[in-house]
Amino acid sequence: MSATFDLVIRSQRVLVGAEFVPAAVAVRGGRIVAIEPLDTALAARHEVLLPHDQMLVPGLVDTHVHVNEPGRTDWEGFASATLAAAAGGVTTIIDMPLNSLPPTCTVSALEQKRRVAGPKASVDVGFWGGAIPGNLGSLRELHDAGVFGFKAFLSPSGVPEFEHLSLDQLEAAATEIAAFDGLLLVHAEDPEVLAGAVNGGGDAYRDFVASRPDRSETDAVGHVIEAVRRTGVRAHILHLSSAAPLPALAAARAEGLPITVETCPHYLFFSAEQISDGATAFKCCPPIRDSANRDLLWQGLESGVIDCIASDHSPSTRALKLGHGGDFGLAWGGISGLQLSLAAVCTAAASRGIGLERVLGWMSGATAALARLPGKGRIALGADADLVAFAPAESFTVDASQLRHKNPISAFDGTTLTGRVQRTWLGGASVYAVDDGIAGVPLGVLRRP
């Protein structure tokens, strides 16, 4: 008898909608074509029965990843980043326009990234474009070429080739992007506040946090809200670190303004009280703040003011991250967390009584919606068969040297997390198994629908 399906996966716990149910999930041609009761007889070329300690969940969609290739491939690259993604249950990444050289601010730079990524990617890859002073007025070209939206900084980005926008330029970008119903993503820290809080660096973590105060985010978010109100642009606040802007964001949402918000695993897992002086592995901008602030971020997620969680995977070389004697003023700011995001958030959520189905809503469904990828981030008929076998009760201690990231550096090194990816499928094809490593099948790259 010829097989009806390419693959059938059976599990006592399959996340369908917002609840776990016993089910058999059938795949044909890379898509989910049937979801049946667990014991339904289904003919398939390959069949997998997950053990009782594992569940079947949708692959994560990580909409905030810095791959840094081409140009800074010693920091990361498409091969290493997507291997790490698959091992962490992430089946789609959207790459940020920096810190590659050139940044994704022109159609030619986008085409170059696609050529580089295509033969190396182990998961699906899409691209954000950049909005910088030098390409305003030509953003429609990048949009038409298939970027998913446009990232802008309101404060210096840390690399000279990606300049930040003034408030007048933010307004111009918002007006331009609104005209074609694009998405504007904003690194929201106010440069005037930062300039007024600058210090001499050093190894004191409290001084580093003081150099990027809550007000820098509050004022910048206020500027974005005003730009949205005037232009109608869809806007997304990246990596919200401070809970201080949440009331203003809640009011803007109540007003009907099209603003979405993300936060990151490191802001939800760590707190400033845990970070030792000189521990530059924890440096990121905006910074990890205190435990009371962390509690408020979780409340923002539960209330719906914060929409989603993305890794902001921003790696660098060991020399850039750790080679400055613990000086927070000199170390590169970024957390390498792509492979660990799901486990970190699950661990922190479980301690608060928050279920995995909500975590996956923030890390799969909401991020897929942000990127307008209806076939991603869910187990449903017609959706892409991007699936993960996940053992929610399995604990492990992070060893940064064993991660798939290019540079063995992570703020999570030595941390015990609970929840481990056992296997990852992309379009029904196995791209990771915990016992076998990564298949590394070259895949295509995504274009905005």
Side-chain angles (χ1 to χ4, degrees):
M1 180 185 298
S2 61
T4 303
F5 303 107
D6 301 326
L7 172 69
V8 170
I9 306 173
R10 301 178 189 270
S11 175
Q12 291 286 348
R13 291 175 290 174
V14 178
L15 185 63
V16 179
E19 62 180 345
F20 286 96
V21 297
V25 177
V27 176
R28 185 190 299 119
R31 296 186 181 274
I32 298 169
V33 293
I35 302 173
E36 301 292 342
L38 179 62
D39 295 328
T40 303
L42 300 169
R45 294 183 178 87
H46 303 283
E47 184 162 335
V48 176
L49 175 63
L50 298 188
H52 287 280
D53 64 344
Q54 295 180 26
M55 53 180 55
L56 189 68
V57 301
L60 270 60
V61 177
D62 193 335
T63 50
H64 196 150
V65 179
H66 294 267
V67 177
N68 305 326
E69 185 176 13
R72 290 190 174 100
T73 314
D74 54 335
W75 297 17
E76 191 65 281
F78 286 104
S80 53
T82 60
L83 296 180
V90 178
T91 51
T92 300
I93 66 169
I94 312 293
D95 173 54
M96 281 292 167
L98 72 165
N99 298 298
S100 59
L101 290 170
T104 317
C105 298
T106 64
V107 173
S108 63
L110 172 64
E111 291 172 346
Q112 185 176 358
K113 274 206 178 182
R114 284 179 174 148
R115 287 194 300 270
V116 171
K120 299 180 180 180
S122 295
V123 301
D124 281 340
V125 179
F127 302 97
W128 300 114
I132 60 174
N135 72 348
L136 298 184
S138 59
L139 300 180
R140 182 64 186 253
E141 297 173 21
L142 262 176
H143 172 81
D144 290 347
V147 298
F148 284 74
F150 299 88
K151 180 177 185 176
F153 278 76
L154 296 187
S155 57
S157 71
V159 291
E161 66 276 2
F162 201 98
E163 295 181 277
H164 67 285
L165 300 182
S166 68
L167 294 184
D168 286 344
Q169 290 166 337
L170 173 68
E171 183 95 2
T175 300
E176 184 178 356
I177 294 167
F180 50 78
D181 189 32
L183 178 65
L184 173 64
L185 303 93
V186 184
H187 179 123
E189 290 183 285
D190 184 275
E192 291 187 7
V193 175
L194 294 180
V198 70
N199 61 42
D203 68 355
Y205 186 70
R206 65 182 179 277
D207 291 344
F208 169 62
V209 175
S211 75
R212 306 189 89 94
D214 294 274
R215 188 185 159 204
S216 67
E217 293 189 71
T218 302
D219 285 9
V221 166
H223 298 320
V224 177
I225 290 171
E226 287 302 314
V228 171
R229 185 177 286 121
R230 287 191 294 267
T231 68
V233 72
R234 291 188 298 123
H236 180 69
I237 303 297
L238 296 164
H239 49 47
L240 189 73
S241 148
S242 171
L246 288 175
L249 287 163
R253 299 278 283 269
E255 186 182 335
L257 298 182
I259 301 177
T260 52
V261 186
E262 77 181 39
T263 191
C264 302
H266 39 280
Y267 300 136
L268 299 169
F269 189 89
F270 297 115
S271 68
E273 295 92 332
Q274 299 171 270
I275 299 174
S276 302
D277 289 348
T280 54
F282 291 88
K283 180 182 176 181
C284 54
C285 299
I288 296 166
R289 305 186 189 275
D290 63 29
S291 58
N293 179 84
R294 179 181 60 186
D295 291 343
L296 292 172
L297 290 178
W298 276 106
Q299 290 176 29
L301 279 163
E302 291 194 88
S303 69
V305 180
I306 301 175
D307 300 87
C308 59
I309 303 169
S311 70
D312 189 12
H313 178 68
S314 184
S316 70
T317 63
R318 186 176 186 86
L320 286 170
K321 190 68 178 167
L322 304 178
H324 298 286
D327 190 326
F328 282 96
L330 298 176
W332 176 257
I335 302 289
S336 296
L338 176 58
Q339 185 172 336
L340 302 170
S341 291
L342 178 58
V345 177
C346 284
T347 302
S351 72
R352 297 168 182 271
I354 298 171
L356 180 59
E357 68 283 356
R358 296 208 69 187
V359 169
L360 291 163
W362 294 320
M363 302 185 79
S364 296
T367 46
L370 175 70
R372 291 185 169 177
L373 289 171
K376 303 290 187 184
R378 62 198 182 103
I379 298 177
L381 293 179
D384 292 353
D386 300 345
L387 303 165
V388 175
F390 187 66
E394 182 175 337
S395 295
F396 65 100
T397 299
V398 177
D399 178 352
S401 70
Q402 299 302 305
L403 297 176
R404 301 283 178 164
H405 310 151
K406 178 165 287 188
N407 290 283
I409 309 161
S410 176
F412 292 95
D413 192 30
T415 302
T416 298
L417 303 176
T418 301
R420 192 164 195 174
V421 171
Q422 302 295 311
R423 193 165 178 181
T424 302
W425 293 268
L426 186 83
S430 179
V431 292
Y432 172 78
V434 70
D435 295 329
D436 301 327
I438 303 287
V441 179
L443 300 160
V445 294
L446 295 172
R447 295 173 185 264
R448 178 185 47 77

